[in-house]
Amino acid sequence: MSKCGRKKYMRTNVRHMTMETVESQQDRSVTHSVAEHSSAHMQTGQISVPTLAQVATIAETDDSAESEVIDSHKRREILSRRPSYRKILNELSSDVPGIPKIEEEKSEEEGTPPNIATMAVPTSIYQTSTGQYTATGDMPTYQIRAPTTALPQGVVMAASPGSLHSPQQLAEEATRKRELRLMKNREAAKECRRRKKEYVKCLESRVAVLEVQNKKLIEELETLKDICSPKTD
DNA sequence: AGAACAATTCGTCAATATTT
DNA sequence: AAATATTGACGAATTGTTCT
């Protein structure tokens, strides 16, 4: 995959705002907006996280003189980075029994085979008669492998920086560090995407469960209405 | 069949959060 | 404070779908 010619963007204090909306778009040949871009990447049926588009809209419409007066706290609140998927999911799981926690990555010696991510699709959260959510065997009892622990072949740990002298050695060290960083980030991105998918699936499951619950309650309400005020015809 | 477009995936960068 | 982790955004590549 060729990565040459990649455009570098200055990023301002914007977690949910890209330069697409911050910069003037005049000199950009790309015509799609942030919202379009994110929706284009949204799979059918997935739940979109609206903050990005919302914030982008705010940013776009905010450049009037009045906007300068806007409380910076508010803005910061909007733009602040939201918690990680792991955190969100774990909070969800503490609220709702049956939603699995995303476990911290564990070292391989704790029994988990390396590089194996077992994960079931969380398609079945059921509600018990007490109103609690319960997981079936299909619930994601995944285990997260520890990707960063395994260095690819060819990545050699160099000597300590103190022992490097020549510019060539320094350059090699820099290259090695960069490759290591890229590799780590590559794995981190994969893991992040996996967590995100998990998070979205989890939300979808919740929606499904709540819809069923809502339907039941409506039916119950109708029944009670009928009992309390039977029709006279 | 193949062109055209849409959707998806992946690696990377950079900003920010979290951990040490 | 430095190191590390997380994740939105981007562009390129790949894959899928539709139309001619």
Side-chain angles (χ1 to χ4, degrees):
Chain A
M1 192 180 290
S2 149
K3 293 294 165 193
C4 57
R6 178 180 299 286
K7 218 179 241 180
K8 289 185 182 176
Y9 297 96
M10 290 289 292
R11 305 276 161 111
T12 55
N13 172 31
V14 275
R15 213 42 233 157
H16 294 134
M17 194 195 318
T18 66
M19 299 314 294
E20 208 81 60
T21 53
V22 177
E23 284 179 340
S24 71
Q25 299 182 11
Q26 298 161 357
D27 52 352
R28 297 286 304 275
S29 58
V30 181
T31 53
H32 58 255
S33 68
V34 171
E36 283 168 345
H37 183 81
S38 33
S39 66
H41 286 72
M42 191 64 66
Q43 282 177 8
T44 315
Q46 282 190 343
I47 299 165
S48 72
V49 182
T51 51
L52 202 162
Q54 284 173 350
V55 171
T57 309
I58 291 167
E60 276 177 339
T61 56
D62 235 20
D63 56 358
S64 65
E66 282 180 36
S67 68
E68 313 239 339
V69 194
I70 287 182
D71 186 3
S72 64
H73 276 77
K74 234 179 185 176
R75 181 171 272 254
R76 189 169 300 178
E77 225 171 76
I78 295 167
L79 296 176
S80 67
R81 182 185 182 141
R82 69 174 184 202
S84 70
Y85 296 120
R86 192 202 301 269
K87 208 166 193 175
I88 294 171
L89 210 52
N90 286 348
E91 274 171 16
L92 265 178
S93 66
S94 60
D95 288 349
V96 182
I99 292 182
K101 285 196 172 195
I102 293 182
E103 292 171 18
E104 297 296 323
E105 295 189 15
K106 293 192 172 133
S107 59
E108 288 170 16
E109 58 266 23
E110 286 191 40
T112 308
N115 292 320
I116 293 178
T118 55
M119 186 184 99
V121 179
T123 49
S124 46
I125 299 176
Y126 294 116
Q127 198 176 13
T128 64
S129 54
T130 57
Q132 293 210 324
Y133 301 109
T134 178
T136 68
D138 287 339
M139 284 306 287
T141 54
Y142 47 79
Q143 295 152 342
I144 300 170
R145 76 227 184 290
T148 52
T149 55
L151 292 177
Q153 292 176 353
V155 175
V156 182
M157 300 306 284
S160 63
S163 66
L164 298 171
H165 300 297
S166 73
Q168 193 183 352
Q169 276 178 317
L170 288 171
E172 278 173 9
E173 170 70 3
T175 306
R176 190 193 64 80
K177 274 188 177 174
R178 177 184 154 78
E179 278 172 3
L180 193 61
R181 181 169 51 77
L182 290 180
M183 188 199 75
K184 273 189 171 183
N185 191 245
R186 200 179 306 137
E187 292 300 320
K190 282 179 188 169
E191 194 58 27
C192 179
R193 283 169 182 142
R194 192 193 63 74
R195 277 198 298 267
K196 187 175 184 176
K197 278 183 180 173
E198 193 69 15
Y199 169 64
V200 170
K201 277 181 187 170
C202 184
L203 289 182
E204 286 173 342
S205 297
R206 277 197 97 187
V207 168
V209 168
L210 289 173
E211 276 176 349
V212 169
Q213 190 180 4
N214 194 38
K215 199 177 170 187
K216 274 184 185 172
L217 286 171
I218 289 172
E219 284 171 4
E220 200 177 325
L221 180 64
E222 292 302 321
T223 310
L224 288 172
K225 269 186 188 172
D226 283 350
I227 291 171
C228 291
S229 55
K231 285 176 189 166
T232 54
D233 38 296

